[in-house]
């Protein structure tokens, strides 16, 4: 590609590789202060929608001590050295979290910061687990645990798959075949395989379907995304899970 310049001469433009999506978003945020082309959480929408995630825009309206899971970016992190009490001399952090619905302040006390503070070293989105606190007026989150966005904030889940006749519109057989294909696939080593509960939703009823044996599927972002592609957003729900500190198959561990 060439461009004109004064005097009528043309100067060729250097050929450079295009930015990745993540780099484009980073540059937009750094230059403009907001995202233009998309939002970093959009690419994780299928995965995060499978968990009982609370939008940050609603978190402040929840009652005291309500437990929540949020999927968010850490917009800022202010570290503080504790001066008094049993944690004196240790670090804690005040975070500003951001998702596509709003922002919220969160606090990581020293015990939590010691365990999960290393996850703040990159700009990738995170799962943040904690409780709502109104002690300082406007609601903030007290963080209990944090996990990378590609990890599991909850383990020992069951995977509920909802087949909606209006959404599938005659493609139900293809959707069931896709579920069977994913359930029969090999899971990566160390990845949780969750039992499947299949529900058919019609205009008049919910029908639980008994499957032969206990079908299980690997709980990974790629598998959940494939199921969402087949069934629709909101049709894949991980239920009954329990909190974990960090995805067991993730090698990002606390520094010694």
């Amino acid at each position: 590609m060439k461009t004109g310049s004064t005097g009528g001469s043309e100067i060729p433009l250097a050929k450079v590789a295009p930015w990745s999506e993540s780099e484009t978003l980073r540059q937009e945020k750094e230059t403009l202060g907001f995202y233009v082309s998309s939002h970093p959480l959009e690419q994780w929408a299928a995965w995060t929608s499978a968990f009982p995630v609370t939008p940050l825009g609603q978190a402040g309206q929840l009652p005291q001590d309500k437990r929540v899971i949020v999927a968010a970016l850490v917009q800022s992190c202010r570290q503080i050295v504790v001066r008094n009490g049993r944690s004196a001399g240790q670090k804690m952090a005040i975070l500003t979290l951001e998702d596509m619905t709003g922002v919220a302040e969160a606090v990581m006390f020293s015990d939590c910061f010691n365990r999960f503070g290393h996850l703040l070293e990159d700009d990738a989105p995170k799962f943040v687990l904690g409780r709502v606190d109104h002690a300082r007026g406007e609601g903030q989150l007290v963080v209990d645990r944090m996990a990378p966005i590609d990890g599991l904030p909850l383990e020992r889940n069951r995977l509920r798959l909802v087949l909606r006749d209006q959404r599938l519109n005659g493609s139900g057989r293809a959707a069931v075949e896709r579920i069977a294909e994913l359930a029969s696939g090999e899971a990566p080593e160390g990845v949780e395989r969750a039992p499947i509960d299949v529900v058919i939703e019609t205009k008049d009823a919910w029908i639980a379907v008994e499957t032969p044996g206990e079908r299980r599927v690997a709980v990974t972002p790629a598998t959940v995304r494939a199921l969402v592609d087949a069934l629709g957003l909101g049709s894949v729900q991980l239920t009954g899970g329990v909190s974990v500190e960090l995805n067991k198959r993730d090698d990002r561990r606390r520094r010694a």
Side-chain angles (χ1 to χ4, degrees), residues 79 116-124 126 146 253 255:
Q79 297 184 23
F116 304 109
H118 64 288
L119 294 175
L120 301 172
E121 294 174 358
D122 63 58
D123 296 329
K126 312 286 190 295
M146 186 177 286
R253 293 290 191 264
R255 296 188 304 275

Side-chain angles (χ1 to χ4, degrees), residues 5-229:
S5 64
T6 57
S9 60
E10 294 184 340
I11 302 174
L13 296 177
K15 292 183 178 180
V16 296
W19 286 336
S20 64
E21 181 181 6
S22 60
E23 178 62 17
T24 298
L25 293 173
R26 189 188 70 80
Q27 293 284 353
E28 289 174 356
K29 183 69 170 180
E30 185 175 296
T31 304
L32 303 173
F34 54 89
Y35 301 106
V36 177
S37 54
S38 65
H39 191 281
L41 284 167
E42 283 188 7
Q43 63 180 304
W44 296 100
W47 174 241
T48 58
S49 70
F51 297 93
V53 168
T54 298
L56 282 177
Q58 300 175 13
Q61 304 166 21
L62 297 175
Q64 176 72 22
D65 295 326
K66 173 69 175 178
R67 306 205 65 81
V68 296
I69 303 172
V70 300
L73 296 167
V74 180
Q75 192 181 88
S76 66
C77 172
R78 180 164 59 94
Q79 297 184 23
I80 302 170
V81 176
V82 180
R83 295 185 177 181
N84 302 304
R86 67 177 181 84
S87 300
Q90 299 185 44
K91 291 182 179 179
M92 59 176 289
I94 305 297
L95 311 178
T96 300
L97 304 178
E98 169 195 350
D99 68 6
M100 291 187 288
T101 68
V103 297
E105 187 175 89
V107 57
M108 296 179 74
F109 290 113
S110 56
D111 287 349
C112 181
F113 184 79
N114 287 338
R115 292 156 61 194
F116 304 109
H118 64 288
L119 294 175
L120 301 172
E121 294 174 358
D122 63 58
D123 296 329
K126 312 286 190 295
F127 280 117
V128 180
L129 292 77
R131 61 180 178 85
V132 176
D133 180 38
H134 294 282
R136 299 187 179 182
E138 188 172 346
Q140 66 175 3
L141 301 182
V142 177
V143 182
D144 292 328
R145 295 177 173 86
M146 186 177 286
I149 196 66
D150 59 348
L152 286 176
L154 301 173
E155 278 191 341
R156 298 201 288 279
N157 303 276
R158 296 189 68 87
L159 193 66
R160 178 184 297 156
L161 307 179
V162 183
L163 282 67
R164 297 183 168 94
D165 58 349
Q166 291 182 333
R167 164 65 175 79
L168 296 175
N169 193 26
S171 62
R173 179 179 292 274
V176 171
E177 291 175 350
R178 183 59 170 145
I179 293 170
E181 177 187 353
L182 292 167
S184 62
E186 292 293 328
E189 184 178 355
V191 172
E192 177 183 354
R193 293 179 67 92
I196 296 175
D197 297 323
V198 178
V199 174
I200 298 175
E201 180 185 326
T202 70
K203 184 173 62 175
D204 302 314
W206 273 45
I207 305 167
V209 178
E210 289 190 8
T211 57
E214 188 174 59
R215 297 276 182 160
R216 291 176 174 265
V217 67
V219 183
T220 68
T223 302
V224 169
R225 189 178 299 114
L227 288 167
V228 169
D229 287 344

